[in-house]
Amino acid sequence: MKKIEAIIKPFKLEEVKDALGEIGIEGMTVSEVKGFGRQKGHTEIYRGSEYTVDFLPKIKVELVIVDEKLEEAITTIVKAAKTGKIGDGKVFVSNIEEAVRIRTEEKGSSAV
Ligand SMILES: Nc1ncnc2c1ncn2[C@@H]1O[C@H](COP(=O)(O)OP(=O)(O)OP(=O)(O)O)[C@@H](O)[C@H]1O
Ligand SMILES: [Mg+2]
C-alpha cells in the first residue's frame, strides 16, 4: 500500500475529489494547511527582502491505496489540480505498512 499526500490549491479540491471518485478511490482525508514553496509565498521579491516567508493556505489530500492504483491516482490528481501557474502544489508518496478497517477488523489491502 502507498500513501499519497497531495498539497493543492484550495479551489481545486472539488475537482480533485470528483476526478478521484471517477477512478474508484473510495476514501480520503482532507486538511486545511499552510505552506510555501520555492517562491516562499511571494510571486516576487518584496522590497529586496529575500527571507520573508508568507504561508499560503493550501489543502492537503491524503489517500492510502493499493500499489496497483498508484500511478493512476497520481496522474488523476496532477491533471485535476494543475493550472500551470506557480503554487500548484506537490504530490508526495510513501509506503504504508498496515491498515485496519476498525468495524470489520479487515487488514491490509482489503481495509483500504
Ligand atoms: N518540499 C516540500 N515539502 C513539504 N511541502 C512542500 C514542499 N514544497 C512545497 N510544499 C507544499 O506545497 C505547496 C505548494 O508548493 P509550490 O507548488 O509553490 O512548490 P514550488 O516548488 O514553489 O513549485 P512552483 O514553482 O510551481 O510554485 C506549498 O505551499 C507547501 O505547502
Ligand atoms: Mg511555488
Side-chain angles (χ1 to χ4, degrees):
M1 291 167 288
K2 303 281 187 201
K3 178 164 76 172
I4 296 178
E5 289 172 79
I7 314 292
I8 62 171
K9 289 180 170 168
F11 80 96
K12 281 291 192 177
L13 176 60
E14 286 300 308
E15 214 174 312
V16 168
K17 185 196 74 177
D18 292 348
L20 287 170
E22 278 167 24
I23 64 159
I25 297 296
E26 293 181 325
M28 70 184 74
T29 302
V30 171
S31 332
E32 292 179 9
V33 295
K34 288 181 180 175
F36 62 86
R38 295 186 296 184
Q39 294 82 15
K40 298 188 165 53
H42 288 278
T43 52
E44 59 190 46
I45 293 172
Y46 175 68
R47 288 185 185 166
S49 148
E50 293 168 42
Y51 300 106
T52 311
V53 168
D54 277 347
F55 290 104
L56 295 177
K58 300 286 173 182
I59 294 284
K60 179 167 73 173
V61 179
E62 290 174 85
L63 51 151
V64 175
I65 49 177
V66 293
D67 292 10
E68 299 71 50
K69 278 266 182 193
L70 179 65
E71 288 309 320
E72 188 182 19
I74 293 173
T75 309
T76 300
I77 291 168
V78 169
K79 194 172 162 214
K82 186 169 184 167
T83 69
K85 303 218 170 74
I86 59 171
D88 271 354
K90 301 242 168 107
V91 176
F92 302 111
V93 178
S94 51
N95 284 310
I96 289 289
E97 296 198 357
E98 183 60 295
V100 181
R101 174 173 287 113
I102 293 174
R103 178 177 61 85
T104 56
E105 298 181 38
E106 291 161 285
K107 289 191 168 175
S109 52
S110 35
V112 301

